[in-house]
Amino acid sequence: MAKFSAADFKAHVAYLADDRLQGRQPGTAGYQLAVDYVSGQLRKLDVQPAGENGTFRQKVRLRRAFSEPGGTLSSPGASYQSGQDFVFYPNPGQPTATLTAPVVFAGFGISAPELGYDDYAGLDAWGKIVVLTRLEPPHLAGNEKLYATDLLTVLQTAAQHGAVGVLLAATKAATPLPNLSKGLVSVLAPDSHVAVSRSYVSPQIQVVGAVSAGMLQRLFVGAATDTARTFAALRAGKAASQPLAGTLTATARSRYQEVESYNVVGKIAGSDPVLRDEYVVHSAHLDHLGIGAAVQGDSLYNGAHDNATGVASVLEIARAYARLKQKPRRSVLLVLTTGEELGLLGSAYFARFPTVPKSQIVADINTDMPTIIAPLLSVVALGAENSSLEAEVVNAATQLGLTVEADPEPAQNRFIRSDQYSFVTQGIPAVHLKYGNRTADGKNNLSEQVQKWRALYYHKPQDDMRGVFDFEAGRKYAQLNFLLGYQVAQNPQRPTWKPGNFFGRRFGNGE
């Protein structure tokens, strides 16, 4: 533990955030330099290749889908204007889609009878276009809300109830339609079918789009209940689903660009003859945003904090294991993922199609932008409360003199926004360690400082090596993550979901 080095940590960040890597966008030469660098570092540390075909790489085929001009949406006697009344999400599995179907309104699109709420109860959505609102449901909180309001869950729920199209409706006139000009990215399986997507769940739902508040009002003409009463009921936590008058005809066309990218996977073999066939994963995303819109004259998004620091943490964990003569009982996987910035795509692909037996992965410890701008005095363990990993986190933090705090920014929904959530949806307990609120001056307002920092640096070209860093905090983050993973790798008992935990009930069998 004492040999963890702030200088080594900084050196990794400096290489990965260098201009030569051009922002590490998947499919580019700059991302390939990052792949080569981390693979080389793992090789020097005698980490075993654990990708495909005896290499450190797992191929991830990315398809970026764009909506072609000319998409149409109409009802008998009326037509709607693309870009003003509606936009279609590009369909990564179907270049051309045309359908005519009745329309129903299904509130939040939530079907959770076990929680006492179901927008689809008594509603016939089979073969219909479902209109939904993205309002925050007042009757759900915590993990239940995180899961139920995730777009992928909403689309899967619509498909389960027979929908053939989904329209996401704005409720305020000032709410702009989403800008989809850059397209949406999915991952293809080896058979070229769409394997992972954040906006496409099956060929059954042929059209997904967004509609303006004004168009929503027009869709409600002739309905039994107007929008004012409908949304009043939803805000009160009461389902307000109903058929809408007439039918809609939609035609959407998509075009594709495909690139190959890679996850990087290394293994440190365990020492126990039985437990070495089980795995503790340390993950961090390797990609960033590449070259984009200029901000203050700079258009290269280096991604020093996001997430060169997380990758540096994983590499320093590998170095710590290299120094250990006696390896832990379980094996350790080091997974550097692609496509996180595109929707957790690389981690979702690895979690669904891992290079080791999925049933043998016992936990994921993820590091994503630890935000090392001040001394590390306390941490937030996102997701630890769901499983027995919570006790392991507390023990590791205590040994390093750190306190564990509640999330200071729960509205950010950070637990489902980083790669650990990909493992959770495959039934694998996971945790993501972030900064706490404690500060050396006793003001305990680090969250406020981070929010100010984020406004200047997050997803901006200014996130480069000229920014604010505390590399001693980076060293401590790496120590903490190592110690947590080492404990899990040594514990004869696998991590378990806590009794009654929502994610454990929903995904505990890897569904």
Side-chain angles (χ1 to χ4, degrees):
M1 292 286 286
K3 292 183 179 179
F4 275 81
S5 164
D8 290 340
F9 188 103
K10 179 180 179 180
H12 296 312
V13 177
Y15 182 89
L16 293 168
D18 191 273
D19 284 357
R20 290 189 302 121
L21 275 68
Q22 297 288 289
R24 306 190 308 279
Q25 185 176 34
T28 66
Y31 184 80
Q32 190 58 49
L33 284 173
V35 168
D36 293 343
Y37 176 77
V38 296
S39 299
Q41 292 293 312
L42 295 177
R43 190 176 291 109
K44 288 177 183 178
L45 296 169
D46 293 325
V47 175
Q48 300 175 21
E52 298 166 335
N53 304 318
T55 73
F56 285 102
R57 300 177 186 178
Q58 181 190 37
K59 184 189 295 185
V60 181
R61 295 173 60 202
L62 300 173
R63 169 179 285 178
R64 187 181 294 272
F66 300 86
S67 289
E68 286 279 66
T72 61
L73 187 62
S74 62
S75 57
S79 61
Y80 306 100
Q81 185 173 345
S82 177
Q84 178 176 315
D85 298 317
F86 73 94
V87 294
F88 288 139
Y89 288 56
N91 185 325
Q94 197 170 346
T96 301
T98 299
L99 64 89
T100 298
V103 188
V104 296
F105 178 75
F108 304 108
I110 294 171
S111 183
E114 72 278 12
L115 302 176
Y117 187 87
D118 192 350
D119 282 312
Y120 287 92
L123 180 70
D124 179 11
W126 201 265
K128 297 181 173 65
I129 296 172
V130 175
V131 178
L132 305 172
T133 173
R134 297 296 279 161
L135 290 171
E136 288 282 310
H139 51 285
L140 296 180
N143 292 334
E144 290 84 354
K145 186 179 80 169
L146 290 178
Y147 172 75
T149 59
D150 184 31
L151 178 59
L152 194 59
T153 303
V154 168
L155 295 176
Q156 290 169 339
T157 302
Q160 290 162 7
H161 288 84
V164 295
V166 174
L167 297 176
L168 308 169
T171 58
K172 297 179 180 179
T175 302
L177 293 171
N179 180 358
L180 302 174
S181 61
K182 294 183 179 180
L184 296 175
V185 184
S186 303
V187 179
L188 300 182
D191 61 4
S192 296
H193 287 84
V194 177
V196 180
S197 173
R198 298 298 302 167
S199 60
Y200 176 81
V201 294
S202 76
Q204 175 189 312
I205 296 184
Q206 300 178 58
V207 173
V208 175
V211 299
S212 67
M215 180 170 171
L216 178 65
Q217 294 289 344
R218 295 167 71 180
L219 292 175
F220 261 75
V221 172
T225 306
D226 63 19
T227 56
R229 286 182 291 172
T230 297
F231 290 125
L234 290 173
R235 291 187 181 98
K238 299 177 182 178
S241 304
Q242 60 179 314
L244 300 179
T247 62
L248 284 174
T249 297
T251 299
R253 294 181 177 84
S254 305
R255 61 180 174 87
Y256 308 136
Q257 294 176 353
E258 295 182 8
V259 298
E260 288 185 357
S261 191
Y262 299 94
N263 293 328
V264 177
V265 190
K267 182 178 82 169
I268 297 158
S271 58
D272 185 277
V274 176
L275 291 182
R276 68 186 176 195
D277 292 328
E278 297 182 351
Y279 301 88
V280 179
V281 174
H282 283 280
S283 60
H285 75 88
L286 184 58
D287 65 307
H288 195 55
L289 300 175
I291 297 174
V295 178
Q296 298 177 12
D298 189 354
S299 59
L300 202 165
Y301 291 66
N302 302 76
H305 279 277
D306 187 13
N307 183 38
T309 56
V311 175
S313 179
V314 172
L315 293 177
E316 287 309 290
I317 288 168
R319 194 191 305 273
Y321 277 113
R323 293 188 180 114
L324 279 181
K325 293 181 180 179
Q326 178 69 23
K327 306 307 181 191
R329 295 173 180 177
R330 285 190 179 86
S331 296
V332 175
L333 283 186
L334 309 169
V335 182
L336 293 316
T337 62
T338 186
E340 191 273 348
E341 301 288 7
L342 302 173
L344 317 185
L345 296 181
S347 63
Y349 188 80
F350 179 84
R352 284 187 60 185
F353 307 106
T355 56
V356 299
K358 185 192 300 184
S359 62
Q360 298 298 90
I361 299 176
V362 304
D364 171 57
I365 301 164
N366 187 47
T367 304
D368 184 0
M369 200 177 80
T371 319
I372 51 171
I373 63 172
L376 182 64
L377 302 177
S378 62
V379 294
V380 171
L382 298 172
E385 72 280 0
N386 298 310
S387 71
S388 59
L389 290 173
E390 184 172 47
E392 308 272 23
V393 169
V394 171
N395 188 47
T398 300
Q399 293 190 50
L400 289 174
L402 303 170
T403 55
V404 181
E405 301 176 354
D407 186 0
E409 298 179 288
Q412 292 285 327
N413 296 336
R414 296 187 295 179
F415 182 58
I416 70 169
R417 290 173 51 197
S418 292
D419 284 333
Q420 69 278 348
Y421 189 61
S422 296
F423 291 86
V424 169
T425 61
Q426 297 301 312
I428 300 166
V431 64
H432 176 200
L433 298 174
K434 296 286 281 184
Y435 58 87
N437 220 19
R438 285 181 61 192
T439 56
D441 59 11
K443 293 181 179 179
N444 297 333
N445 63 345
L446 184 56
S447 177
E448 295 177 15
Q449 296 180 40
V450 170
Q451 290 178 44
K452 293 177 182 177
W453 173 89
R454 189 183 295 144
L456 296 173
Y457 294 95
Y458 176 63
H459 279 189
K460 291 183 173 63
Q462 285 66 43
D463 181 16
D464 59 22
M465 291 303 292
R466 295 170 293 183
V468 181
F469 292 90
D470 184 326
F471 286 107
E472 182 59 33
R475 172 181 179 270
K476 205 163 195 176
Y477 262 109
Q479 287 178 315
L480 177 62
N481 281 277
F482 165 76
L483 189 54
L484 173 57
Y486 183 82
Q487 289 180 134
V488 177
Q490 283 287 76
N491 193 335
Q493 301 300 315
R494 281 184 171 218
T496 56
W497 298 101
K498 289 186 179 178
N501 176 261
F502 174 80
F503 290 127
R505 295 198 315 270
R506 178 67 65 170
F507 302 118
N509 294 319
E511 298 175 357

